Amino acid sequence: MAHQGCESFADLQMDSGVATCCGQCESCAREVFDQAKAAHGVVAAIHPPESVAKIVK
């Protein structure tokens, strides 16, 4: 990750668990990721709540 952020949507998924379960939020999450990346070059890493982190592992 560059500058403590995510360079790819896959990085964001690994860091936060977003769009890794049912997929309902994937299109929205990708859109927000793409907008943030276009504006800033990287997207800040987001650490999920402990309960989500346990599910993703």
Side-chain angles (χ1 to χ4, degrees), residues 11-12 16 18 20-21 23 27-29 33-34 36-38 42-43 48-49 55:
D11 287 343
L12 180 64
S16 69
V18 69
T20 58
C21 291
S27 62
C28 180
F33 175 84
D34 290 342
K37 186 161 170 68
V42 295
V43 178
I55 294 169

Side-chain angles (χ1 to χ4, degrees), residues 19-25:
T20 58
C21 291
C22 70
Q24 291 288 318
C25 66

